[in-house]
């Protein structure tokens, strides 16, 4: 997210803290899909993700004044969603088993991400190949790739969300890139450069 977008989000947050319900609606629509996609990397049970997103926004709606203390709304929302989902899963079954149910939905074309990156059949094939490779990554690598690739977050923000240091977050990203490169077909070497730019920068 660029500085202009961050400024706009902060303005909406400030307006909502002052009682502007339209600003609340703008924030909800801005973050619902990114939160849904992130939640699905934690659990394949979409209804749990949707319920916990609703819980977060209900809490925000009921406590607008507390929004004044939120320095980075995007990071705050991702952290809150992850905690809520894991708490919900813990109530249903053993947390250690369920935390490994991270999944990556290869049918995300409907969310519009490919509208930005995919404009040809060749690019579409690359997208599907990339989704398949990410789906095969270990959970923590999958999480960092989503936050870096889909959300364009910096490693400091990713580290905060994942409760690791920025260096560890970057190491996860680089190890993920290395794993994907191992299975990279010869004709798709060009995509390797794209991945390097998106993940390592």
């Amino acid at each position: 997210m660029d500085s202009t977008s961050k400024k706009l989000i902060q303005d909406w947050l400030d307006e909502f803290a002052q009682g502007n319900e339209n600003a609340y609606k703008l924030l909800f629509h801005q973050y619902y899909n990114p939160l849904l996609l992130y939640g699905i990397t934690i659990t394949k049970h979409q209804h749990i993700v949707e319920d916990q997103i609703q819980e977060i926004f209900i809490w925000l709606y009921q406590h607008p004044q507390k929004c004044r203390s939120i320095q980075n709304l995007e990071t705050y929302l991702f952290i809150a969603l992850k905690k809520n989902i894991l708490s919900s899963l813990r109530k249903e079954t053993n947390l250690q088993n369920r935390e490994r149910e991270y999944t990556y939905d290869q049918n995300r074309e409907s969310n519009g991400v490919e509208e930005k990156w995919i404009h040809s059949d060749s690019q579409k094939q690359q997208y599907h190949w990339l989704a398949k490779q990410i789906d095969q990554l270990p959970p923590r690598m999958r999480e960092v790739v989503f936050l870096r690739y889909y959300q364009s977050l910096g490693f400091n923000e990713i580290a905060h969300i994942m409760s690791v240091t920025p260096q560890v977050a970057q190491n996860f990203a680089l190890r993920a890139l290395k794993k994907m490169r191992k299975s990279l077909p010869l004709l798709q070497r060009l995509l390797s450069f794209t991945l390097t730019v998106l993940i390592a920068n």
Side-chain angles (χ1 to χ4, degrees), residues 100-179:
R100 284 165 172 67
E101 289 186 5
Y102 283 32
T103 187
Y104 192 94
D105 187 351
Q106 297 182 28
N107 299 316
R108 285 182 180 156
E109 288 135 42
S110 62
N111 65 33
V113 172
E114 76 285 7
E115 295 296 332
K116 182 178 180 181
W117 299 102
I118 303 172
H119 303 286
S120 68
D121 289 340
S122 175
Q123 287 176 308
K124 189 172 295 186
Q125 290 175 357
Q126 290 179 345
Y127 172 80
H128 287 303
W129 175 86
L130 178 60
K132 181 179 179 180
Q133 300 310 309
I134 294 175
D135 189 44
Q136 295 173 357
L137 291 173
R140 299 286 270 176
M141 290 185 194
R142 215 154 51 218
E143 184 178 0
V144 74
V145 167
F146 172 80
L147 293 172
R148 183 65 175 164
Y149 178 74
Y150 280 95
Q151 294 306 122
S152 301
L153 297 184
F155 284 111
N156 287 335
E157 294 172 299
I158 293 172
H160 189 42
I161 292 169
M162 297 180 67
S163 299
V164 298
T165 66
Q167 184 60 56
V168 169
Q170 189 167 16
N171 288 346
F172 277 133
L174 293 176
R175 284 165 57 193
L177 178 60
K178 185 177 180 180
K179 277 183 172 290

Side-chain angles (χ1 to χ4, degrees), residues 4-58:
T4 301
S5 298
K6 288 182 178 179
K7 175 65 167 55
L8 181 60
I9 294 298
Q10 189 59 49
D11 288 344
W12 289 346
L13 189 61
D14 291 341
E15 290 174 13
F16 168 58
Q18 296 171 14
N20 187 330
E21 291 195 7
N22 186 57
Y24 171 83
K25 293 177 182 178
L26 291 171
L27 290 170
F28 180 85
H29 289 299
Q30 174 73 23
Y31 284 110
Y32 185 85
N33 282 340
L35 287 170
L36 179 61
L37 294 177
Y38 175 61
I40 293 173
T41 70
I42 300 173
T43 177
K44 64 185 177 182
H45 301 291
Q46 185 170 328
H47 69 281
I48 292 178
V49 179
E50 293 173 340
D51 287 346
Q52 296 311 316
I53 293 173
Q54 294 286 347
E55 288 294 326
I56 291 170
F57 277 96
I58 288 173

